Structures are given as structure tokens and as C-alpha cells.
Amino acid sequence: MARVIGLLDMDYFFAQVEERENPSLKDKPVVVCVFSGRSSESGSVATCNYEARALGIRSAMPIFRAKQLAREKPETVFLPVRKPFYAEISNRIFALVEKAGAGVERVGLDEAYFDWSRIANGNFELARQKAVDLKREIGEAEKLSCSIGLGPSKLVAKMAAGQNKPNGLTVVLPSHAEVFLADFPVSKLQNVGPKTAQKLEEKGIRFVRDLKAISLEYLTGSFGRARGTFLFEACRGRDEAPVKANSEKKHFSRMATLAMDTADEKALRDHLQPLALDIEAWMAQRELFCQSVSLGVVRAGDLSFRSKSVLLEKPVRDAPVLLSAALLLAEKFRQLEPGVLFRRAGISVGRFSAKGKKPDDAQKGLTDFV
DNA sequence: AACAAGGGTTTAG
DNA sequence: TCATCTAAACCCTTGTT
């Protein structure tokens, strides 16, 4: 029996929430921004409503660029992102999705896959009706619209959801999956980002259908085993990836933009301290300890990301220990690349466990590994 | 051969 | 001159058992 998989995508989520909270924003361009704090306009666009998109504004665009594009529309509103607030709303919405069936896999705050194979029993008409009901339920409970794609796999559901936005509902039957996918440019296929797309296009592969001419060996050789296999199967309309419940977080990180480019130890300490405290608080709330600590940096100039990590001898939680580890890793960066300046820096922790060592041993354990 | 660690790459929202 | 933040999966290399 064919699976019945859905993908629910909240329409322009952050900006739609802001419109709901402040109806005077309706029919103005609304741009939700991540301000880095370095200057009044430094940062990037998280998301924006359709009025803003009509001006050419897009996610991940520098804020100054979005402001250029909005020059002719002085009513354009730029708002700071409110992640924790959106997260609460997201939790309520996807609780409704869970109530409507089994197996929900959340992807970020605004999307989730769900598996209705059992309740729909292969009946896509039944699934469509359930999707209509779900959309109405979310609309009534939260005054927010979403788009849903239904298909025989996660890939098809995802691509279907993108076909009709906003407030769309698109069903792709199993018998049409392969044909449906064939016409997409490879660059629009899920799992194909800029790097993969460029390599494929250099080989003259522009559409998903063109992929069928490429051997599995070539694809895995060029893109690795996992992605290569995915591409080989996807262009034939096959995707068996299961909708799987979200696992516990494996990493937790905090990164922020420095007030100015630097590699100075003291400046880094001041910058990383609040991040370390944040991470400590997060672990304390969950009664977790971490054993791996990484320092992530973005180099000034080319904005390339670098990281160094260390495995501590015992699980720890205290911010001073995290900070010391991060500063030791920063010293390694300086030795490896003298004169390097950082634009952003942050700490990531992982390898969680429920028990740590005694607090008074913490500092000693850190020096053990050096 | 199997596994672990470290670090970079790619994608995604 | 400008260019966020978080997280997962994966890949490659190196080293150990």
C-alpha cells in the first residue's frame, strides 16, 4: 500500500505572526530581521511577507540591501525577530497536527512532515479532506494560514507544498510522482543546494528528468554516497525516507557577531562569556552535562566559517569551564593563522549526558587534556 | 575491518 | 563600506584496536 505523506508549511511564518499581532501591518511590506547589533542596519532578513517579496526582498538578504529595495515604499516595516514567541505558537500548531494523526517530524519552527499512511489507508481523497480540516483548524485556533503538500513520499510532499502558496493544498498521487518531479529544475529539488546544482548544470543536467541518464556510480562519486543515491532514486520518483519523530538535540550552540573584528583574547572572553552562561543555563534546565566543546568562528573578510573542538575528560556544565575551553581553542586558531581576525564567534556543546563530575573538579579536568 | 575523533562541507529554515 | 543564527547529516582524513 502506498504511503500517504504530508508536509505542512506555515506561510511566511514570522511575518504572518507579526501581521496577526498588529493588524495595521496588513498590506504593508513586513520584513522580519536578525539584527547583529554591529551597526543599526547590520544583519540579515529572516523572512518577509508577500508585499515585501514583490519588492525583491528575500530571506538571508542583508538588511541594508532590503532597505535599498524598499526605498520607494516608505511604509515598509522592519521588525526584529522574536524567536521564542514564534516557537510557542509553533508548538501549539504542531500539537494540532499531531492530534490529527500519527508521526510528526518537525523541520524548523514553520514546517513538519506527517505520516497519514495508516489513517488514510492509501486513500488520497480522504487525506485531502483531512488536510482541509487541519488547515481550517489551524486557521481558527491561531488565525494563521499554511500550505500543505500530500504525496507518496517526503520528497513529493515537500515539492507539492511549494506549488501552491500561500494558503495552498496540493495533492500528487503516487502514479504521478515521477512525472511531477521530472519538470523541476534540479536546483529546485529538495537536497540540492547551490553547490550540487552548479556541478550538475556544468554537466548539462538542468532538469530532474535529465538525472535519469546519469549512472549511480557517477552520482555517488561526485556527490557522495548519500546524496548520490538520493538523486538517483529521486529522479525515478522513489524516496523511502521515513517520517521520523524528532530526536533529542545532539548539539546546542550560541554564536553572535563581535562588536568589531578581533582576535584579542580579552575581547573574545567578554564576547563569549554571556554565550557560555546561556549554554550553561540551557543544560542546567535539562539537567544535562556536555563532554565536547567547540569554538566556531567566522573570519573577517571572506566570512568563511571555521571550528575547533575538544573532548573533555569528564562531562561538564559550568560556564567558566566552557569559556576556558573555548579560549584555548581560540589560541590554536591564532597559532595556526597569525593575524587572523574574527567577525563572529560562538560556542557549541555536544555529547550530552545526565551526570557530570563534582563542580570542584571541573577546572582540573580541563587542563588534563591539554 | 571496524570504529572514533576532528574538522570541513552542504543544506535548510 | 555590506554579508544572522542554529542544527543536522554527511564526507574525508587520520589514528587506534
Side-chain angles (χ1 to χ4, degrees):
Chain A
M1 183 63 72
R3 294 191 297 159
V4 180
I5 307 295
L7 185 277
L8 186 153
D9 181 9
M10 296 306 298
D11 298 323
Y12 62 104
F13 186 42
F14 300 172
Q16 198 191 350
V17 169
E18 296 296 346
E19 286 179 359
R20 182 191 81 176
E21 295 301 300
N22 182 355
S24 77
L25 298 177
K26 267 282 186 189
D27 56 61
K28 288 177 193 166
V30 175
V31 186
V32 179
C33 302
V34 183
F35 292 103
S36 73
R38 172 168 284 207
S39 72
S40 64
E41 299 197 354
S42 172
S44 71
V45 174
T47 191
C48 59
N49 66 1
Y50 281 79
E51 284 80 359
R53 289 178 204 192
L55 303 175
I57 298 172
R58 295 288 181 274
S59 294
M61 181 179 275
I63 293 167
F64 80 92
R65 175 102 180 89
K67 293 206 166 174
Q68 284 174 1
L69 291 168
R71 274 188 308 237
E72 301 305 307
K73 289 267 185 184
E75 70 269 34
T76 303
V77 180
F78 293 83
L79 299 171
V81 70
R82 295 194 278 170
K83 270 272 201 72
F85 180 54
Y86 312 139
E88 279 178 35
I89 297 166
S90 173
N91 288 340
R92 291 201 298 267
I93 290 167
F94 291 109
L96 290 176
V97 181
E98 264 171 47
K99 199 159 65 73
V104 171
E105 176 182 341
R106 296 179 61 169
V107 184
L109 291 182
D110 72 327
E111 280 189 21
Y113 291 96
F114 50 88
D115 187 338
W116 280 353
S117 301
R118 294 182 79 101
I119 36 179
N121 195 28
N123 183 340
F124 275 83
E125 259 323 299
L126 177 60
R128 179 199 294 275
Q129 192 50 56
K130 283 183 61 71
V132 170
D133 294 344
L134 181 57
K135 277 163 62 75
R136 192 184 54 239
E137 220 180 316
I138 292 169
E140 284 170 1
E142 296 292 341
K143 309 294 177 216
L144 294 170
S145 74
C146 63
S147 298
I148 292 180
L150 291 173
S153 65
K154 286 168 78 173
L155 175 64
V156 172
K158 169 76 180 171
M159 303 298 289
Q163 285 300 97
N164 247 321
K165 279 183 174 181
N167 198 15
L169 171 55
T170 307
V171 182
V172 174
L173 298 176
S175 54
H176 285 91
E178 187 176 353
V179 170
F180 169 73
L181 292 173
D183 289 335
F184 283 96
V186 283
S187 59
K188 301 289 185 203
L189 195 66
Q190 173 78 342
N191 258 309
V192 175
K195 303 286 183 182
T196 306
Q198 197 195 336
K199 272 203 219 174
L200 288 172
E201 278 156 12
E202 278 165 8
K203 287 271 168 248
I205 301 160
R206 290 205 292 277
F207 295 94
V208 171
R209 76 162 66 78
D210 304 333
L211 275 168
K212 291 186 210 180
I214 313 301
S215 71
L216 177 61
E217 291 70 28
Y218 180 85
L219 291 173
T220 54
S222 303
F223 305 111
R225 197 185 134 105
R227 178 162 286 122
T229 306
F230 170 82
L231 290 172
F232 185 84
E233 297 293 326
C235 68
R236 290 166 176 79
R238 300 193 291 252
D239 168 33
E240 297 296 322
V243 174
K244 58 178 191 344
N246 296 91
S247 52
E248 295 299 311
K249 254 204 231 319
K250 296 176 177 67
H251 306 277
F252 182 79
S253 66
R254 281 288 176 262
M255 170 169 277
T257 302
L258 287 146
M260 57 190 313
D261 298 347
T262 186
D264 176 65
E265 148 128 33
K266 196 159 169 38
L268 282 176
R269 178 188 299 277
D270 291 344
H271 174 76
L272 294 173
Q273 172 114 35
L275 306 182
L277 284 167
D278 219 24
I279 293 169
E280 180 196 76
W282 184 88
M283 288 194 285
Q285 198 173 6
R286 289 156 185 78
E287 299 185 335
L288 290 178
F289 298 83
C290 70
Q291 209 168 346
S292 95
V293 180
S294 344
L295 174 72
V297 298
V298 172
R299 285 204 303 205
D302 65 356
L303 297 186
S304 61
F305 179 82
R306 295 279 186 285
S307 71
K308 294 210 173 293
S309 64
V310 66
L311 192 65
L312 303 178
E313 200 177 334
K314 296 263 180 64
V316 302
R317 176 191 289 158
D318 296 337
V321 182
L322 305 179
L323 188 56
S324 307
L327 290 171
L328 275 169
L329 295 168
E331 180 53 30
K332 284 197 192 176
F333 273 119
R334 277 193 296 268
Q335 281 169 12
L336 234 66
E337 298 178 79
V340 68
L341 294 183
F342 307 135
R343 181 187 172 86
R344 295 200 279 274
I347 301 174
S348 171
V349 297
R351 291 231 170 190
F352 299 122
S353 59
K355 283 209 189 309
K357 55 164 126 192
K358 295 279 189 285
D360 50 279
D361 292 346
Q363 204 60 45
K364 180 164 154 278
L366 179 63
T367 49
D368 283 343
F369 73 87
V370 187

